[in-house]
Amino acid sequence: MKMKPGTKLRIGLAKRGVFLLLALLLALPVAAEGGYANFQTSAEYTDGIFSDVAADSWYRDNIAAVYELGLMQGSGGAFRPDGDIRLSEALALAARLHSLYQNATAAFTQGEPWYQVYADYAVENGLFDASGADYDAAVTRRTFVTLLANALPESALPAVNEIADGQIPDVKMDAEGAAEIYRLYRAGVLTGNNSRGSFAPDTLISRAAVATILSRMAYRSLRVRFVLEEASYPDLYEQSAADDSFFSGSAMLGNSLAQGMMLYSGLNTMTYICKESIGVNSAETYIEELCTGSYDRVYIEFGINEIYMDAAAFADAYADIVARIQNAMPEAEIYVMALTPVTKERSDGGSFTMTRINAFNTALREMCAENACWFLDCCTPLEDGTGYLQSAYAGWDGSPHLSAAGYQAWAQVIRTYYA
């Protein structure tokens, strides 16, 4: 049965772009409808072929497309859509795709190790730099997209979307693989993980996402036209958890809670500029130190030492700090972190009331909206469902200091909410 993407396929707008384990790739001379000259369907997909691909799953039609093209298969009756892929598998797929497009054949003879013929082909054709390669390593989205983008010439990836340089929030133009990532966004092969188009380049790529990318590479009719939303301060969207490398160019400015993050959060690649007891009116030395550096992201944590202040006055002083950082590092994304919650016992017993904490956080969010920076709500995720800190997150003084588990939960918020 011939695949007719323009009418038969129900390809959804998969928000996560990625890759898949290859199996048999056949080279046939007749063009698949909506595709390029040397791609043709070679099998028929029916629901139930793979036990783990439901008929109503977002990736069903993409998997059907690459299966019918002979580009990807499963194993043991399963496709493993959430599984990742190895570099060796990614190289095999890129080599076969390139050979099919260029030579109308993908007749590779495997040897020992099985992937060497693909690695050699990829190196010879400028798809891959083999120096220091770990062929058994899981592939990131950045690595996979770089490989796949180079498997087709630019003429096969005409732009259908206007994506300005630097518009993808987490892919700067000087980043590794940026040219290839932007090329596939502009061609409608990648759409990003949210309305702003975040890519999460250093997270692992799933087989389902790989199938989506590959089907769009083969079928022009499946490419997506879209417009990315502009940054809309102050609120952030939840995204795939960023790994440690994402924060290697980040810094955190703050008090003893920032020190706790440094010790217990696991965010070990971030630079911490902090000291106990400092606040918005007593952090001059540390602000100066921060502003002499150069960071992609700056996280600011103040509030527990200023809880006695008027909330509006606190926010005004905070705004002055934000302005200084923006002047020193105009390209940096600034994240103002909410005051974290306290337990009901602490709230009932003194100045650290949730009423005051919520008032401070409301003022901070308004300040962020007015000063073009992000408000990171690390208060709500740590609450227990009744508006107070979860008891398991309470630290040595009950709260506002946190336990190791509390700092790790806070770090997870940082990892999953970013611009």
Side-chain angles (χ1 to χ4, degrees), residues 380-391:
T380 305
L382 304 186
E383 292 177 353
D384 61 4
T386 66
Y388 299 96
L389 180 69
Q390 296 183 42
S391 59

Side-chain angles (χ1 to χ4, degrees), residues 37 185 260:
Y185 269 76

Side-chain angles (χ1 to χ4, degrees), residues 66-122:
V66 295
Y67 176 84
E68 292 197 359
L69 286 170
L71 290 173
M72 297 169 65
Q73 293 181 346
S75 177
F79 189 79
R80 295 191 301 111
D82 295 326
D84 52 35
I85 63 165
R86 310 290 101 184
L87 176 60
S88 55
E89 298 162 349
L91 285 171
L93 185 52
R96 289 169 172 171
L97 186 67
H98 181 274
S99 183
L100 271 181
Y101 184 88
Q102 298 290 343
N103 309 313
T105 180
F108 292 91
T109 302
Q110 295 182 4
E112 288 294 335
W114 69 268
Y115 56 78
Q116 191 63 54
V117 63
Y118 304 110
D120 292 344
Y121 180 93

